[in-house]
Amino acid sequence: MLLSLLLFIGLLTAVFYYRPPLQTGSLVMVVGTILLTIYCSGMWLILLVTIGVSILLNHPRWRQQLLIKPMYHMLRKSMPTISKTEQEALEAGTTWWEKELFSGKPDWHQFSAIALPRLSEREQQFLDHEVVGLCQLIDEWDAHQRQDLSPEVWDYLRQHGFFGLIIPEEFGGLDFSPYAQSRIMSKIASCSPTAAVTAMVPNSLGPGELLVKYGTEEQKQRWLPGLANGTELPCFGLTGPEAGSDAGSIPDLGIVCKGQHNGEEVLGLSLTFSKRWITLAPVATAIGLAFKLRDPDGLLGDPDTVEYGITCALLPADHPGVEIGRRHNPGAPFMNGPISGTDVFIPIDWIIGGAEMAGKGWRMLIECLGAGRGVSLPALATASGEMCYLTVGAFARIRRQFNMEIGKFEGVQEATAEIAAGAYTLEAMRQMVTRGLADGAPSVLTAMAKLHATERMRQIVNHAMDVVGGRAIQLGPRNFLGSMYHSVPVAITVEGANILTRSLMIFGQGAMRCHPYLYAELKTLQHGDEQAGLAEFDPLFRQHLGHIFSNIARLKLYGVTAARFSPVPDDASDFSRRWYQRINHLSVALASCSDVALGILGGDIKRRELLSARLGDVHSELFIACSILKYHDANQQNDATEAHARYAVQRSLFRAQQALLSFCDNFPLRWLGKILAFTCFPLGRIHRAPDDHQIRRLGGLIMEPNPVRQALSQFVYLNEDPLDPVGRVESTYQALLKTDKPWQAFVRARNKGLLQHPDNLDLALASAAEQGIIGAADIEPIKAYDKQRYDCLLTDHFEAL
């Protein structure tokens, strides 16, 4: 009997795992149970249940009456209504690889077909010439002192097309790919966050992108050439005193009416608005605005529609009634300020896309947020991570305390290892995300990118400040971390606060957009015709049940085998294969836990932000892990790259596991949470944080001229100018590498008391040469390096503040 039960469970698991059509699966179960009953007569009760369930599921009328209809009515009452704004947000944009990870069964053949982006020859030339020329022109300390970029930098940005990266060539723009935009912004940000933010705005959420995608031909001809050559400088007003992350609640109002424009009476809008935190507002010539549109008199032709919803318009900054206030002070010297206006009349055709786009602004904005969330802010974060890798790694080698490089202390290595892995992760994410953006506008993916890139930036820069200490705290033209540290809050808060992005957006949108059936089911529950909704709900719900049981079967199998026999990408390296299998396990665990949460909590999952945030963390970390493995396998592979990739992917999967276990521990039905935890991890916690050996390994590598350092240096502006804050560190580091062996021999001998006059460098070097510790030819290079080293460690001081 026990053997028969085990065989029955195995048969049931196999049917669920392979998920054949309903009739085929039912036939297999009935025939298999009959054979088991012949073998063991005690199985007759299970046979009856199997036959009964099979008949119920395969008989349309009985299935409808006993299963589908009761479930439909129950869900129809319990699930919250999706508002028009929510529906527009959910339907905006596309999905990409993140959808496969949410399914529980990633299609690795599809993943293998993803090729990381490459720059075109024209894009590479722009990076090598125009971008380098801009970086050579910028003085970030000067920008902080004058609280603005220099006139020369502004002119250079305009003259070389930096404000028109996304605008088509037919309008004078450069029409670069998302990857090229990211590389350009990263290189600028590596020497000046101020200049990067200034160039980012016209190329991310702003009138330019909205006009390219939705503008009328007349609007494109009017604005795009000027935006491309910089004679027009745009800003976009979305946030205000009453609306931040909840942009849908904006109180700014446009009322359809007739008014005077250029001496004629025309149909238009009366706008009243108050916006704040608007980057480039103080210098903008073109202002994009988001507002709620009302048409109380039916002037747009639909007397039944009064509330049109969020709408976007574009108007000149000098238009009568528009007031640009004094500047905000965001902590970095880029232009930022408020915009307001009361009863400002504009023609109806100033709505972006014309009158037919009235009320469609929210969808437009959601689809265009991708550039800011997926390109600009992650580019800033990536540049920060890579510059911290290069400068802090060098500084940890140059700076000595207690007769040893500070980078060799294990406490310091704990921080520098995180910097090294974080920078590697950010570059991998950047390449994967911009590849996804090239295929569409994946809103869930870009939310992940914005949140996790900027959070890793925060962690990396904080670690960098801990290592460099007072040298990084004291501001001045020598400080290579100060401007980066000041720009962190900007990246964290703009384009949606990170807290709400994590707790509401990623899983909230991810569950709807990435689940294969959920959103379609919810739409049937809100169908105006109940019978039609029920007919559509039936096949969806059956497929959803099959999806759930298939995932549970896969989860049980992967749990006991640690997913060792699960599929992997065709092109996976030997290093990556096992990690991909672990991703399979966590992916099906995420899918199963998500379905349980949605089934038990229903609409209440929106208010259980702690739970949904943890599921969002699992989803995000799985995508990040895939990015790391794809980046590792697509580039040069050696011991150094493997050490970085291993630490980074291990950290991501450990975080995913911890988030999943925390979800189970805090599930409202504690007994069910315990079952979920055991089902997901029957062998216990299988993912471990990087160990001390890995920390020491990466903490040592970051100080060496290893292949990862060489690869990351190509993405930033790195020079050896001793008058430049970064160049001072880099030139000193390169000087150390050239004379490292004799320098280390000299320092060891001095520390051991083997040299005469150890406090006098010239005499100590002569003593070392006499004893054969160093060569006579090494004396002058060591003296030159020691002078350079001391200068590198100095901080700025001023006569008065």
Side-chain angles (χ1 to χ4, degrees), residues 150-339:
S150 69
E152 293 78 13
V153 172
W154 275 108
D155 289 343
Y156 191 97
L157 288 167
R158 289 187 172 96
Q159 292 169 9
H160 292 86
F162 281 87
F163 297 132
L165 301 181
I166 64 171
I167 295 175
E169 291 184 72
E170 62 183 291
F171 297 104
L174 296 174
D175 198 18
F176 283 164
S177 66
Y179 179 59
Q181 295 170 44
S182 177
R183 287 283 303 274
I184 290 167
M185 293 307 163
S186 274
K187 199 146 196 168
I188 300 172
S190 67
C191 70
S192 173
T194 302
V197 171
T198 301
M200 282 175 186
V201 172
N203 294 293
S204 54
L205 176 59
E209 187 173 10
L210 292 170
L211 285 171
V212 170
K213 291 188 176 180
Y214 307 106
T216 65
E217 189 60 33
E218 182 180 354
Q219 290 171 340
K220 291 178 181 179
Q221 295 293 341
R222 161 65 179 88
W223 290 106
L224 289 181
L227 292 173
N229 63 30
T231 56
E232 299 284 3
L233 200 60
C235 68
F236 194 89
L238 179 58
T239 55
E242 299 288 351
S245 295
D246 182 14
S249 69
I250 56 176
D252 310 284
L253 187 62
I255 298 177
V256 182
C257 62
K258 292 187 177 181
Q260 293 293 316
H261 180 67
N262 291 336
E264 298 181 9
E265 184 180 70
V266 298
L267 183 64
L269 310 174
S270 177
L271 292 174
T272 297
F273 54 91
S274 177
K275 305 290 187 180
R276 64 175 177 176
W277 302 334
I278 309 307
T279 302
L280 295 189
V283 292
T285 63
I287 297 176
L289 287 175
F291 52 89
K292 288 183 177 176
L293 181 65
R294 298 186 74 246
D295 184 15
D297 299 323
L299 297 177
L300 290 179
D302 186 356
D304 296 327
T305 303
V306 174
E307 305 289 343
Y308 274 81
I310 295 176
T311 302
C312 298
L314 180 61
L315 52 152
D318 59 0
H319 188 66
V322 175
E323 297 182 13
I324 298 179
R326 294 178 295 177
R327 286 178 63 181
H328 298 312
N329 184 1
F334 61 86
M335 292 291 178
N336 190 276
I339 304 172

Side-chain angles (χ1 to χ4, degrees), residues 365-392:
L365 291 172
I366 291 294
E367 291 186 344
C368 289
L369 278 171
R373 288 179 174 164
V375 177
S376 297
L377 294 172
L380 178 62
T382 302
S384 298
E386 291 169 347
M387 290 306 292
C388 285
Y389 188 111
L390 299 168
T391 56
V392 176

Side-chain angles (χ1 to χ4, degrees), residues 71-83 86-87 90-91 102 507-530 532-534 536-541 544 594-595 597-599 601-606:
M71 183 61 67
Y72 181 80
H73 287 146
M74 184 187 74
L75 293 175
R76 193 175 170 95
K77 292 177 182 178
S78 64
M79 297 301 282
T81 301
I82 301 176
S83 68
E86 287 179 308
Q87 186 169 342
L90 289 170
E91 292 179 349
F102 197 88
F507 182 76
Q509 280 193 312
M512 292 293 185
R513 293 306 311 272
C514 299
H515 195 287
Y517 307 109
L518 182 61
Y519 184 51
E521 288 174 326
L522 286 178
K523 287 201 293 186
T524 68
L525 297 175
Q526 297 189 32
H527 205 296
D529 184 340
E530 184 176 320
L534 187 60
E536 294 175 8
F537 179 77
D538 185 352
L540 286 171
F541 185 67
H544 192 165
S594 297
D595 270 316
L598 292 165
L601 301 176
D604 195 45
I605 190 68
K606 293 173 66 176

Side-chain angles (χ1 to χ4, degrees), residues 13 16-19 101-106 515-517 544-558 584-585 587-595 679:
T13 300
F16 285 152
Y17 183 92
Y18 289 105
R19 201 178 166 187
L101 291 171
F102 197 88
S103 72
K105 190 180 180 182
H515 195 287
Y517 307 109
H544 192 165
L545 286 178
H547 171 77
I548 292 172
F549 289 123
S550 176
N551 279 336
I552 291 174
R554 191 177 301 106
L555 178 58
K556 289 166 57 181
L557 182 61
Y558 288 177
N584 283 332
H585 180 200
S587 172
V588 73
L590 168 65
S592 300
C593 288
S594 297
D595 270 316
T679 305

